[in-house]
Amino acid sequence: MKLILLGAPGAGKGTQAEIISKKLGIPTISTGNILRAAVKNETPVGLKAKAFMDAGALVPDEVIIGIMQERLAEPDCAGGYILDGMPRTIAQAEALEKCGIDVDVALSIEIDDEVIEKRMTGRRSCTACGATYHVVANPPKVEGVCDNCGGELTIRKDDKPETVKNRLKVYHQETEPLIDFYKSRGKLKSVENRDTIEATTEAIFAALEI
């Protein structure tokens, strides 16, 4: 199965991708990871990407798609894959189609902005060991103190209310239109976010019939 996960930042795409990947025995292809690997391995496209990154510029779509093609040509993708973080825009989706990178299903995890804001702004990270907590769902035993190492818990810049609001705004403008794009191709399946990870996984498995 060739799958793409859609959903706002904080919708749980990364967590669910990991679970689906284990269930189906197919790799999750994260744009960020393959970009870093291509740069590290100094592949031709990786060197191109590095030049943009070193200049502090965004890596253009054609370079990212070149890296994606390199990665999807590897043997572990023969039985399918999950795309995480790509495509982010209609232009990227059309470019993927043009170069023959196809998906069977675009799975959209539907979740209200308010739920995401609560979820993300409630996250706390340990400055010492990196452990993560949530003030409601998974609080530390002592407020502001890591259970593991006693380090200080802080809010990451990404989880600050103003950053979360901005990331959601960008998502609605740039990435949300992909829902209609894949719907028009008969590839969209939508799943409502549930109260627990397990319940959401169950709904996803039902939608994918796996």
Side-chain angles (χ1 to χ4, degrees):
M1 184 182 283
K2 296 168 185 172
L3 186 65
I4 167 182
L5 291 183
L6 300 173
K13 298 185 298 295
T15 304
Q16 296 298 341
E18 217 173 286
I19 296 167
I20 300 165
S21 164
K22 280 187 187 135
K23 169 90 172 168
L24 294 177
I26 56 176
T28 298
I29 311 297
S30 151
T31 321
N33 290 350
I34 60 170
L35 197 53
R36 282 187 288 275
V39 170
K40 186 173 171 243
N41 298 334
E42 299 186 338
T43 69
V45 195
L47 291 171
K48 255 191 210 169
K50 188 176 187 297
F52 287 100
M53 287 155 86
D54 287 349
L58 279 177
V59 180
D61 285 356
E62 63 269 22
V63 177
I64 290 189
I65 285 160
I67 287 173
M68 191 68 89
Q69 278 182 299
E70 279 181 351
R71 177 67 186 88
L72 296 181
E74 289 178 25
D76 64 336
C77 293
Y81 45 78
I82 302 164
L83 297 185
D84 179 15
M86 174 88 182
R88 281 184 194 275
T89 61
I90 300 267
Q92 285 183 352
E94 288 173 340
L96 285 177
E97 283 187 345
K98 262 193 200 126
C99 65
I101 296 173
D102 200 15
V103 294
D104 302 315
V105 178
L107 183 85
S108 174
I109 302 174
E110 304 290 331
I111 182 167
D112 290 339
D113 282 7
E114 301 81 70
V115 177
I116 284 179
E117 284 178 33
K118 266 191 201 146
R119 187 183 277 184
M120 291 175 79
T121 55
R123 285 199 294 212
R124 300 289 182 271
S125 302
C126 175
T127 48
C129 73
T132 54
Y133 298 87
H134 191 281
V135 291
V136 180
N138 176 31
K141 292 188 180 91
V142 178
E143 194 181 328
V145 180
C146 176
D147 294 351
N148 296 344
C149 72
E152 184 197 354
L153 300 182
T154 58
I155 301 180
R156 289 184 330 173
K157 187 169 172 275
D158 266 7
D159 295 334
K160 288 193 169 155
E162 59 277 21
T163 314
V164 172
K165 277 193 166 64
N166 192 45
R167 288 175 72 196
L168 285 169
K169 189 178 157 197
V170 171
Y171 166 76
H172 291 306
Q173 283 171 348
E174 294 185 1
T175 308
E176 202 169 37
L178 286 170
I179 291 174
D180 285 337
F181 176 87
Y182 285 110
K183 196 179 193 172
S184 70
R185 282 155 172 72
K187 293 183 174 183
L188 184 76
K189 293 196 178 190
S190 295
V191 168
E192 288 288 333
N193 172 66
R194 304 293 204 272
D195 289 340
T196 65
I197 290 170
E198 293 76 14
T200 306
T201 301
E202 215 171 283
I204 289 171
F205 284 1
L208 297 176
E209 297 171 19
I210 56 174

